[in-house]
C-alpha cells in the first residue's frame, strides 16, 4: 500500500544541521540523490552520466544536466530522466520517483498505514494537519479493504516522523 500525503509546508522548509527547520529553503531530495552519488570517492559527473541511461527509452542524461540537478539549477523535468538517474545511481526506481515527486511537486510518498503488501497499493492525498475524522471517504475505503482499524499517522515520511 502506498500513501501520498501532500503536506502544506513541504518544499518550503528544510532542516538545518541541528535539525531545526529553515524557512524559505527548498526541499531537494532528488538533487540529494545525485549529490550523494557524486560524493562517492572517485565518482565524476561524466562517469555518472555514462551509467545514467533510461532502460525504457535508451535516452542518456548528459553530465551538464546532472550538474544542474546537483547544483539546484533549472533543467527539463521528464519521466525518462528519473528512470535514467535511478539506473545511474543504482537505486530503486520507486525511491527515486518518490524523491522527484517530493522535490518537483511537494507530494510525499509513504505508507503510514503500514498495510502494504506485495500486490496491493493504496493511494491517498490529504492536506497536512487533516485528522482521520475529516477524511470520511478514506475511512470508507479502509473499511472496504478490511482495514477499518488502521491508524493514519501524521508526518512527511509516512512513518509518523517529520
Amino acid at each position: 500500500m502506498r500513501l501520498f500525503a501532500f503536506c502544506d509546508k513541504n518544499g518550503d522548509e528544510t532542516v538545518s544541521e541541528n535539525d531545526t527547520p529553515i524557512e524559505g529553503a527548498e526541499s531537494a531530495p532528488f538533487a540529494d540523490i545525485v549529490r550523494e552519488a557524486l560524493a562517492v570517492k572517485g565518482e565524476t559527473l561524466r562517469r555518472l552520466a555514462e551509467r545514467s541511461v533510461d532502460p525504457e527509452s535508451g535516452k542518456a542524461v548528459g553530465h551538464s544536466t546532472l550538474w544542474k540537478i546537483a547544483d539546484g539549477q533549472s533543467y527539463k523535468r521528464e519521466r525518462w530522466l528519473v528512470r535514467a538517474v535511478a539506473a545511474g545511481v543504482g537505486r530503486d526506481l520507486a525511491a527515486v520517483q518518490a524523491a522527484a515527486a517530493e522535490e518537483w511537486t511537494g507530494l510525499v510518498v509513504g505508507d503510514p498505514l503500514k498495510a502494504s503488501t506485495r500486490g496491493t497499493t493504496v493511494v491517498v492525498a490529504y492536506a497536512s494537519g487533516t485528522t482521520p475524522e475529516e477524511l470520511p471517504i478514506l475511512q470508507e475505503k479502509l473499511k472496504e479493504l478490511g482495514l477499518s482499524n488502521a491508524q493514519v499517522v501524521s508526518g512527511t515520511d509516512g512513518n509518523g516522523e517529520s
Side-chain angles (χ1 to χ4, degrees):
M1 179 176 295
R2 194 166 285 169
L3 180 100
F4 292 82
F6 180 78
C7 299
D8 295 334
K9 286 198 142 210
N10 188 33
D12 293 334
E13 63 182 12
T14 57
V15 178
S16 70
E17 290 179 22
N18 62 359
D19 293 333
T20 58
I22 301 172
E23 294 298 324
E26 290 192 30
S27 178
F30 183 64
D32 289 344
I33 288 173
V34 174
R35 286 192 284 264
E36 288 168 13
L38 291 169
V40 173
K41 187 175 181 175
E43 185 65 276
T44 66
L45 282 166
R46 290 186 189 277
R47 285 186 190 144
L48 180 57
E50 288 173 6
R51 295 190 311 272
S52 297
V53 178
D54 174 19
E56 289 183 26
S57 68
K59 293 181 180 180
V61 180
H63 68 279
S64 60
T65 300
L66 290 171
W67 178 79
K68 287 178 181 181
I69 294 168
D71 196 49
Q73 294 192 21
S74 180
Y75 59 94
K76 191 169 182 180
R77 297 171 177 179
E78 300 181 82
R79 290 180 185 176
W80 72 265
L81 178 71
V82 176
R83 294 188 302 264
V85 168
V89 300
R91 292 191 49 183
D92 178 63
L93 176 59
V96 179
Q97 288 172 322
E102 181 176 350
E103 183 172 324
W104 297 354
T105 69
L107 189 65
V108 180
V109 179
D111 183 11
L113 301 176
K114 301 295 183 213
S116 290
T117 65
R118 193 171 183 103
T120 303
T121 300
V122 174
V123 178
V124 179
Y126 62 92
S128 178
T130 304
T131 66
E133 294 76 29
E134 296 171 314
L135 300 169
I137 294 172
L138 172 59
Q139 296 300 320
E140 286 301 314
K141 293 300 176 190
L142 289 172
K143 286 178 187 173
E144 288 176 22
L145 292 169
L147 300 170
S148 58
N149 292 329
Q151 180 182 4
V152 178
V153 295
S154 62
T156 60
D157 71 353
N159 297 317
E161 300 172 10
S162 297

